[in-house]
Amino acid sequence: EKGYETGEHAPGLKLGGCGAYKAAHHIIKTHAKVWHSYNTTWRSEQQGMVGISLTSGWGEPVDPHNQTDRDAAERYIQFHLGWFANPIYRGDYPEVMKNYVGKKSAQQGLGTSRLPTFSVQEKAYIKGTSDFLGIGHFTTRYVLQKSFPFLQVSSYHTDRDLAELVDPKWPAPGPKWLYSVPWGFRRLLNFIKTQYGNPLIYVTENGVAEKVQCTQLCDKWRMEYLRGYINEILKALNDGVNVKGYTAWSLLDKFEWNKGFSERFGFYHIDFKNKNKPRYPKASADYYKKIISANGFPNPREVVP
């Protein structure tokens, strides 16, 4: 969407309303081809696994008792995660995506939907092409119904007919889009369990950047973020979700898309102005080291000799 719709990311194309859908269509078909290639050629010898890693926020209805809000939150997830996961796990795009993009395409006078279609053969070829699901997750939104008139320029965002809100009380330690809402992660993981047949999950990205350069390296908010989100994964495990591994984002401060070096997600502070790029551990590095060595949260009452 940022590469082919808004042009914020490379390759910087602004193909409103259709570019992102076309790019995603090719990604899904290419992914399936790679999975089948590995499956037929190398799996018997190597016993490896091939999956896909998808990044998704969680969408919570503003009013959980309001059906239109619940439907809007469902659309939020289906237009994010379901867009890629539904074809891979269930054989086709989510019905709600097909309905909404198709309806808006017809209103624009287009003969066919801006959302491409898979042939019967392609659906069968794509379905089941994942040995695990990688999940990148950072934040949550409240979601409610919002209608966009079809006269507007079409876009992925207006196709969904929803508005995203945040609670001003949510901590926002990092970039403006990243609010710390740990409970959303457990709900997302449980959604994956029920929607896609409880697949094997590896958390491939989860972390927070910092707004201001933390010269004292005392990133207390990152430790609080990690504690909250990892704790929700533990709750999801108790719910029966099949989470096998967790990777924090990220080891080092580094180049972050169109934000360059300004967004620092790392456990290690990098001095980019120094030609040798020295690395300094932030407080979170030691905190995360303890979590890893305990494979969970260390017992605060335990006396370490």
Side-chain angles (χ1 to χ4, degrees), residues 71 87 118 212 233 284:
D71 291 345
F118 294 114
V212 290
I233 299 171
S284 57

Side-chain angles (χ1 to χ4, degrees), residues 106-268:
Q107 286 172 343
Q108 292 172 294
L110 300 174
T112 57
S113 175
R114 288 181 280 103
L115 183 70
T117 55
F118 294 114
S119 69
V120 174
Q121 292 86 352
E122 284 172 339
K123 288 177 190 176
Y125 187 72
I126 292 162
K127 187 177 179 182
T129 57
S130 207
D131 305 319
F132 66 90
L133 179 60
I135 284 292
H137 175 74
F138 294 90
T139 195
T140 284
R141 295 285 185 267
Y142 280 122
V143 181
L144 55 85
Q145 161 78 25
K146 180 183 180 181
S147 295
F148 289 91
F150 69 86
L151 296 172
Q152 286 189 337
V153 177
S154 64
S155 79
Y156 164 78
H157 279 284
T158 56
D159 282 343
R160 305 176 301 169
D161 274 356
L162 58 86
E164 300 175 35
L165 309 176
V166 296
D167 185 333
K169 294 194 286 291
W170 287 344
K176 62 180 187 291
W177 59 270
L178 209 170
Y179 292 79
S180 179
V181 195
W183 53 261
F185 203 4
R186 181 184 183 184
R187 296 188 186 194
L188 176 66
L189 291 168
N190 272 285
F191 174 88
I192 292 165
K193 175 191 168 190
T194 55
Q195 196 84 0
Y196 308 124
N198 203 12
L200 179 63
I201 296 172
Y202 287 93
V203 177
T204 45
E205 292 185 27
N206 175 240
V208 66
E210 52 219 46
K211 270 185 186 142
V212 290
Q213 189 153 324
C214 137
T215 48
Q216 302 303 311
L217 306 177
C218 49
D219 53 347
K220 186 165 177 278
W221 68 88
R222 183 173 283 109
M223 294 187 273
E224 286 170 0
Y225 179 97
L226 289 166
R227 181 173 67 234
Y229 276 77
I230 292 170
N231 199 35
E232 292 298 317
I233 299 171
L234 291 171
K235 291 178 191 175
L237 277 166
N238 287 335
D239 298 334
V241 180
N242 193 8
V243 183
K244 188 70 187 289
Y246 173 86
T247 312
W249 190 264
S250 58
L251 178 66
L252 309 169
D253 291 339
K254 63 189 152 20
F255 194 85
E256 286 287 342
W257 301 91
N258 56 331
K259 299 290 188 262
F261 298 112
S262 65
E263 283 191 0
R264 293 171 174 267
F265 279 84
F267 288 134
Y268 284 81

